[in-house]
Amino acid sequence: FFSAFGLFFLWTPEMQWLMTMLYDTMQYYASLFYYLVSNGSFEKCPYFADRLQAKCQVYSVAITLGYLWGKKHYRAESLAEDMRVNFRNVAIPGTGIALSRFVCCRLVALPFMLILYPLVCLIAALNVGYKNKGSKTAPETVSQAYCEQLVTPQDWFSYWRLNSFLAALHEAETHAPGYRQEDKWTFLVEGEQAGVPISPYLKKPEAIVVKDRHEEGGMGLFFFKNATVGGKWILQERLDNGEFVKSILPPNAPLSTFRVM
């Protein structure tokens, strides 16, 4: 009783925001335990019941680490392998450490999401708070930034990863043949056969060699075998934006594309 009485008088607004952070963190861990250990379903999950994005976000993490990790992926031998390839150009902000390092195996990925990821979220939130130091709302800003990054991230990578997870889950459950088109070569060949406009590609030569102008001793050589003869590489001339697209973009803008769904 006396401890609770004392806590009442020691309670500050800062403690309120701290408790919000702790509450979301505990729900994050409880959700992962529910999905990964208890094998619970998304529909019956009691955590983040009134926060759909948070519920979807944590579910995507759990099912990626669990059910989908070793599943055959439409672009690779497994979802894990696909992440190793596509996370190479994404790094933890401010570190240069590629995220592909943390999906090298499940024994690394799991501790990363359980320990390092919440810590990274906290550091990022403290950085936001530091930029608002001196403000009365700094503790609230830190709390909001931490909770957002942990369970409702708004950055492009998180939405892209969520979209990729959803596609992987849908393909694993339905085996829809349309996912074959994710192979760029399949898309070009079948699109051409169907009369759909495609980006032009070189049917010849069968292979090309790219050489560095100055390196000697057989170094600086790169060989690319054309996909037309079973190789890995699609050979194309560089494409530029059309005149209309150029007219609405800044000078020297990169090639701009859009997807037809």
Side-chain angles (χ1 to χ4, degrees):
F1 171 79
F2 289 106
S3 297
F5 186 73
L7 183 61
F8 174 80
F9 283 99
L10 290 174
W11 185 266
T12 63
E14 288 78 6
M15 289 184 66
Q16 174 188 345
W17 300 119
L18 177 61
M19 293 303 295
T20 299
M21 295 169 66
L22 290 174
Y23 180 72
D24 272 10
T25 303
M26 295 307 298
Q27 286 223 96
Y28 172 78
Y29 285 129
S31 296
L32 290 178
F33 182 89
Y34 173 80
Y35 291 125
L36 291 172
V37 180
S38 301
N39 198 30
S41 67
F42 178 82
E43 294 79 6
K44 296 181 180 180
C45 180
Y47 309 106
F48 298 114
D50 58 343
R51 297 165 65 187
L52 183 59
Q53 184 184 349
K55 187 175 180 180
C56 291
Q57 173 71 18
V58 183
Y59 177 70
S60 72
V61 171
I63 204 170
T64 296
L65 293 172
Y67 174 68
L68 288 176
W69 182 269
K71 276 272 188 183
K72 183 77 172 70
H73 191 270
Y74 54 84
R75 282 194 303 251
E77 288 302 311
S78 66
L79 175 62
E81 181 60 30
D82 185 70
M83 289 191 293
R84 292 182 197 113
V85 172
N86 288 293
F87 285 9
R88 290 179 300 172
N89 66 335
V90 185
I92 298 176
T95 67
I97 303 174
L99 290 180
S100 57
R101 294 177 177 269
F102 301 105
V103 291
C104 59
C105 66
R106 190 153 29 193
L107 288 177
V108 173
L110 191 57
F112 173 75
M113 293 308 301
L114 291 176
I115 302 171
L116 288 181
Y117 179 61
L119 181 60
V120 169
C121 293
L122 178 60
I123 293 173
L126 290 173
N127 183 53
V128 173
Y130 178 77
K131 294 177 181 178
N132 291 274
K133 62 180 180 179
S135 169
K136 293 183 178 179
T137 61
E140 178 183 355
T141 301
V142 171
S143 176
Q144 291 176 343
Y146 171 79
C147 294
E148 177 181 288
Q149 191 58 50
L150 183 69
V151 294
T152 56
Q154 303 299 308
D155 56 275
W156 73 267
F157 170 74
S158 296
Y159 281 113
W160 171 67
R161 193 201 61 79
L162 197 60
N163 176 72
S164 298
F165 144 77
L166 182 60
L169 179 60
H170 183 264
E171 193 277 334
E173 293 296 309
T174 65
H175 305 290
Y179 284 98
R180 293 177 56 256
Q181 303 295 334
E182 284 287 330
D183 182 319
K184 296 180 177 66
W185 179 238
T186 300
F187 177 83
L188 289 177
V189 172
E190 296 188 0
E192 189 174 36
Q193 292 172 351
V196 176
I198 60 171
S199 57
Y201 62 91
L202 302 178
K203 297 183 179 180
K204 290 186 179 298
E206 294 185 354
I208 62 171
V209 180
V210 181
K211 298 180 180 180
D212 184 276
R213 292 176 56 185
H214 303 293
E215 287 192 57
E216 298 182 353
M219 298 185 295
L221 296 175
F222 300 92
F223 298 85
F224 300 92
K225 185 178 180 181
N226 200 329
T228 56
V229 290
K232 181 181 179 181
W233 302 96
I234 298 171
L235 306 182
Q236 297 175 308
E237 293 185 7
R238 176 182 170 178
L239 299 177
D240 292 312
N241 292 315
E243 293 303 318
F244 170 72
V245 177
K246 286 181 180 178
S247 70
I248 58 176
L249 292 174
N252 303 315
L255 182 66
S256 300
T257 63
F258 65 92
R259 295 182 181 274
V260 178
M261 304 298 289

